[in-house]
Amino acid sequence: MSVNAAPTIIQLHGLTKHFGNIMALQDVSLDVPLGITGLLGPNGAGKSTLIKILLGLVRPSSGSGMVEGRDVLREGKAIRASVGFMPEDDCYIPGISGVEMVHFAACLNGYASLESLRRAHEVLDFCGTEEERYRAVDTYSTGMRQKLKFAQALVHDPSLLILDEPTSGLDPDERQIMLGRIQGLSRKAGMSVLICTHILPDVQQICDYAVVLVDGQVRRVDSIENLNRPASPSLHLRIVGDEQKYCQVLREAGIGVTTDSSGRLVVSNPDGDLAGQLWSLAHHSQVGIRSLTPARTSLDDVFIQAMQEGGPGDDNA
Amino acid sequence: MTMHDLGYRSWDADAPHQKFSWLTISRYGAKLAWKSQWLKRIIYLAFMPFFGLLASVFVYEQVSNWPQLYPALFVIVEALEESQQDPIEEIQQDPIEEIQQGPIEEIQQGPRPEQVLVEEDLPTARFDPSNIPNPEEYVQDYVDEHRSTIWRIGFYTFFRRSQGILMVLLVGMIAPGLISRDMQSRAFLLYFSRPITPFQYLLGKATTVWIFLLAVTTLPALLVYLVGVLFSPGLGVILNTWDIPLRILLATAVLTIPTTMLALCLSSLVNESRYARFAWFAIWIVGFLSASILFTADLQASGNYDIWTSRWAFLSPYHVLGIVERWAFGLMERPADVIPYLAILGVVTVVCFGTLMRRITAPIRV
């Protein structure tokens, strides 16, 4: 599945991975464009397995994949040299300081020690880590560890950044700052970012595209703009008066009525002037219209719908 | 915002050291290990035998200048050579053949240096210079003749006795935390999301241990060899002892590779280093005690008084290493006897390596 004809950074074709009888990924075909992409899915959906395959750490049972034009089956080391990965787990070496940790990560990529140290300080400055960089990482708070992991992922200036739950454990201010940094990396530095998260508002806020993975299958792939757009022209409606009676009148007039996750009425009618019909029927039913806005499907709804669908054949991407 | 934050900046640096980036793991591992005060104390302690060996080689090479040491020289050399003989072989040697060989050798080579000793009782043997025209030259010839053997015995004793025991302590302090700590802090993805293979990771961890082991065994031994050559009468000594540096390297490999693999394997099996440390010391202590107890039982039953030929030596890693090191320094009468012990070390190394690779790759396989 692909979003559009935009240049892609990840291409996967018929990727399947099973661990014994457990099917982690089923026939995943996916083209991820440049920009910021959110990878969504419930626990056990296969996100971690997919990331490990992208990094060339796990060999797929069948299928093929390319990351930045490199084969995930044969060029794992080269992929890992140019991709930055921020794991969800703490992943630190007890006893060393924050700056040593980032320096260590740069040296593991093969950079010279002195140059790596300079770069480590530069990246820590960017990540907002101040004097605490000289403290042992064991003493860091969750938020500080998140920033440190982010710095490690960035230190070798990757062209693709894979972030696993980058904002978990951050306070609201820090979360906004982190999202701003990620957005800046994509917009200003031209870095592509794949964010794996459960926090849908984060995806809504900064992602250009989203992939919904459920039970090892890709259920949705599209731009956030398209995912937010309802299947047919719809309006969000709030009224004053007898809601049940008004809904009944609308249905009798052939207008579809549903309620979204926030309790608002979503009305749709593919044919005709929907707004005019609503005003007219409201007048006849003796109810007042408090608000009438173009409907947008929230990512929560997209996610829930994708979860409820049976398989890739049902998706509308 | 930090004071120096200039926003994100790209980095165009080359990564020339990718093939050797595993050395970063060793460097940081050694740096962390060196923070332990106990480790520092053991390392300092580990250099004491080095000075002992250095002094011994120096005295041996300069003994011809000190006539008062001549008698002691003969006694010590005899005792050292005696200590390395295989008693079983000695018992099995045909005494008639020995008697027959004696006079022929004397006719061909002249009187043997040992014959100038008054052979009453070895510990009280006295050097009698009255029937030697030039004792200094005679002693120098004796030193030259026995140099290779004496040096090999010296280095073997250094590796086997002092550094062998210190190795157990050092590895027991450094290795158990190397992998278990990474498992506990789930740092595997930190390593493997970089261009590092599981084998390079293992190599990096093993090198951390080797840095310390080489610092207290191989480097001092090679330094002693160099000093020995410099203090000897001429550089011709190298022709006589050229094999010793190679034997030192072989003994180093015997001492370091299987032990490091075993210690790292134990470290990879648990999340807490204290369990791996306990298992490491338990293997050495229990092995040593079991072999010693069974050896004592054998001694009482069959009179086999040599631990080297005891069938229970294989139970003790310390004895197995000792036997193979003895072979490495060319002190075994029957080199073929080492094969079962080499096989034990080989099997331990291969099994531990296999287990390690499996344990290291386990977190990234799923």
Side-chain angles (χ1 to χ4, degrees):
Chain A
M1 286 182 218
S2 64
V3 178
N4 48 36
T8 56
I9 193 154
I10 298 170
Q11 300 102 34
L12 305 175
H13 303 290
L15 213 63
T16 298
K17 178 67 189 175
H18 52 80
F19 299 104
N21 294 328
I22 299 165
M23 190 65 85
L25 291 175
Q26 289 182 54
D27 195 25
V28 171
S29 294
L30 183 64
D31 287 337
V32 177
L34 301 173
I36 308 178
T37 303
L39 177 61
L40 311 174
N43 293 327
K47 300 189 295 291
S48 299
T49 305
L50 183 62
I51 289 173
K52 284 175 185 171
I53 289 175
L54 293 178
L55 290 170
L57 294 173
V58 170
R59 210 177 165 77
S61 306
S62 64
S64 61
M66 307 280 270
V67 175
E68 297 182 303
R70 296 189 180 97
D71 189 348
V72 294
L73 292 170
R74 287 174 300 170
E75 295 173 278
K77 238 176 139 175
I79 290 172
R80 292 195 297 276
S82 63
V83 172
F85 176 56
M86 175 183 175
E88 185 185 3
D89 292 330
D90 275 346
C91 289
Y92 64 91
I93 299 173
I96 67 175
S97 67
V99 67
E100 284 176 322
M101 197 77 206
V102 181
H103 172 250
F104 178 70
C107 290
L108 279 183
N109 272 64
Y111 293 100
S113 182
L114 193 63
E115 184 65 6
S116 298
L117 187 62
R118 188 199 61 75
R119 172 70 179 173
H121 280 290
E122 187 180 287
V123 171
L124 284 167
D125 286 336
F126 171 70
C127 293
T129 307
E130 298 187 44
E131 292 305 308
E132 63 265 27
R133 72 183 65 176
Y134 299 108
R135 268 172 41 200
V137 285
D138 328 32
T139 64
Y140 277 23
S141 65
T142 312
M144 281 156 67
R145 279 188 196 159
Q146 286 294 98
K147 286 197 267 184
L148 188 67
K149 284 191 290 177
F150 188 59
Q152 277 175 39
L154 275 181
V155 71
H156 57 296
D157 191 27
S159 46
L160 170 65
L161 204 52
I162 299 177
L163 309 173
D164 199 352
E165 301 289 356
T167 54
S168 77
L170 296 180
D171 61 45
D173 282 349
E174 281 294 342
R175 183 172 149 252
Q176 284 307 321
I177 293 169
M178 175 68 95
L179 292 175
R181 278 188 199 117
I182 296 169
Q183 208 161 21
L185 286 171
S186 176
R187 305 283 181 265
K188 294 175 191 165
M191 208 176 276
S192 290
V193 186
L194 181 67
I195 302 179
C196 185
T197 182
H198 287 103
I199 306 171
L200 298 178
D202 288 358
V203 176
Q204 180 76 56
Q205 188 177 333
I206 62 164
C207 289
D208 304 313
Y209 310 96
V211 177
V212 183
L213 198 65
V214 181
D215 292 336
Q217 298 170 312
V218 177
R219 296 277 174 84
R220 290 279 193 286
V221 185
D222 215 329
S223 65
I224 297 294
E225 185 64 35
N226 287 345
L227 287 172
N228 285 148
R229 192 176 297 145
S232 58
S234 309
L235 295 169
H236 276 150
L237 178 66
R238 284 188 191 279
I239 60 164
V240 183
D242 188 346
E243 189 173 301
Q244 280 190 340
K245 183 183 166 193
Y246 183 59
C247 288
Q248 185 61 35
V249 170
L250 291 179
R251 285 192 188 99
E252 283 167 5
I255 297 169
V257 184
T258 54
T259 309
D260 72 4
S261 51
S262 58
R264 288 176 302 185
L265 292 177
V266 183
V267 291
S268 60
N269 184 7
D271 312 313
D273 174 21
L274 181 58
Q277 281 181 297
L278 291 176
W279 283 112
S280 169
L281 292 170
H283 178 69
H284 288 299
S285 307
Q286 300 289 308
V287 295
I289 291 178
R290 185 191 287 167
S291 74
L292 186 64
T293 54
R296 290 176 63 80
T297 311
S298 72
L299 268 183
D300 292 47
D301 294 327
V302 172
F303 188 71
I304 290 165
Q305 278 170 24
M307 293 263 290
Q308 287 165 349
E309 285 169 5
D314 299 330
D315 66 57
N316 58 2
Chain B
M1 184 187 271
T2 53
M3 211 172 122
H4 305 291
D5 182 16
L6 301 170
Y8 186 78
R9 287 185 289 175
S10 327
W11 194 33
D12 291 329
D14 291 326
H17 309 300
Q18 245 177 36
K19 281 184 181 166
F20 299 100
S21 52
W22 53 271
L23 280 172
T24 305
I25 300 174
S26 317
R27 191 150 48 98
Y28 266 91
K31 193 175 173 183
L32 276 176
W34 192 244
K35 286 183 178 175
S36 161
Q37 290 300 321
W38 277 106
L39 184 77
K40 283 179 189 165
R41 285 175 195 139
I42 289 178
I43 295 277
Y44 298 144
L45 183 70
F47 277 97
M48 298 296 156
F50 158 70
F51 294 112
L53 182 64
L54 194 66
S56 307
V57 169
F58 175 75
V59 170
Y60 183 79
E61 290 305 327
Q62 297 296 311
V63 73
S64 59
N65 299 327
W66 299 317
Q68 66 274 26
L69 292 180
Y70 289 174
L73 170 76
F74 289 100
V75 174
I76 291 168
V77 168
E78 280 284 303
L80 282 174
E81 290 188 341
E82 190 101 331
S83 71
Q84 296 304 319
Q85 278 174 6
D86 188 335
I88 301 301
E89 180 145 304
E90 218 173 53
I91 290 163
Q92 285 168 347
Q93 196 175 8
D94 186 354
I96 298 167
E97 193 186 335
E98 196 179 9
I99 291 162
Q100 285 170 342
Q101 280 175 356
I104 297 163
E105 274 179 17
E106 273 180 30
I107 293 160
Q108 289 171 341
Q109 299 170 1
R112 287 183 293 173
E114 291 84 345
Q115 288 177 325
V116 298
L117 294 170
V118 178
E119 294 177 358
E120 292 161 356
D121 190 7
L122 195 59
T124 56
R126 289 178 289 108
F127 175 69
D128 183 7
S130 58
N131 54 354
I132 303 166
N134 188 349
E136 196 176 314
E137 193 180 314
Y138 183 82
V139 166
Q140 190 56 56
D141 287 347
Y142 183 80
V143 165
D144 290 344
E145 190 185 337
H146 290 81
R147 177 177 289 109
S148 176
T149 312
I150 293 303
W151 280 21
R152 280 188 284 129
I153 292 171
F155 285 117
Y156 163 68
T157 310
F158 176 70
F159 268 82
R160 162 82 182 142
R161 302 287 171 198
S162 57
Q163 307 315 86
I165 294 165
L166 285 164
M167 176 277 296
V168 176
L169 288 175
L170 268 181
V171 176
M173 289 199 70
I174 302 163
L178 286 178
I179 296 179
S180 60
R181 269 203 298 262
D182 285 345
M183 293 179 86
Q184 198 175 29
S185 61
R186 290 174 286 188
F188 279 104
L189 275 175
L190 168 69
Y191 295 98
F192 297 129
S193 61
R194 310 272 153 191
I196 288 278
T197 62
F199 177 74
Q200 287 177 318
Y201 169 81
L202 178 57
L203 191 60
K205 293 289 179 185
T207 308
T208 305
V209 183
W210 292 340
I211 287 170
F212 290 100
L213 287 183
L214 295 186
V216 299
T217 55
T218 319
L219 290 181
L222 290 173
L223 194 62
V224 168
Y225 175 78
L226 195 66
V227 170
V229 169
L230 291 175
F231 280 102
S232 61
L235 290 178
V237 167
I238 295 171
L239 289 174
N240 197 15
T241 58
W242 64 269
D243 60 324
I244 289 181
L246 299 178
R247 290 182 187 282
I248 289 170
L249 295 179
L250 181 61
T252 302
V254 168
L255 189 73
T256 55
I257 295 172
T259 50
T260 307
M261 285 296 125
L262 175 64
L264 290 178
C265 180
L266 294 172
S267 177
S268 74
L269 292 175
V270 290
N271 279 358
E272 289 205 38
S273 58
R274 59 190 163 146
Y275 298 130
R277 191 164 288 125
F278 175 79
W280 167 259
F281 286 116
I283 286 170
W284 289 87
I285 294 168
V286 171
F288 183 85
L289 290 178
S290 338
S292 303
I293 291 166
L294 292 164
F295 163 67
T296 310
D298 252 13
L299 176 70
Q300 287 172 349
S302 63
N304 177 5
Y305 57 92
D306 183 24
I307 187 72
W308 307 117
T309 55
S310 165
R311 58 195 163 132
W312 302 115
F314 74 92
L315 286 177
S316 163
Y318 180 72
H319 288 111
V320 171
L321 276 183
I323 291 167
V324 179
E325 278 173 7
R326 198 166 173 233
W327 163 79
F329 281 105
L331 297 170
M332 254 186 151
E333 298 282 340
R334 294 182 300 271
D337 285 354
V338 82
I339 290 169
Y341 300 100
L342 272 178
I344 290 171
L345 291 186
V347 168
V348 167
T349 307
V350 169
V351 169
C352 289
F353 178 76
T355 311
L356 269 166
M357 290 303 283
R358 204 172 162 71
R359 293 287 300 166
I360 289 168
T361 54
I364 53 171
R365 276 203 309 266
V366 291

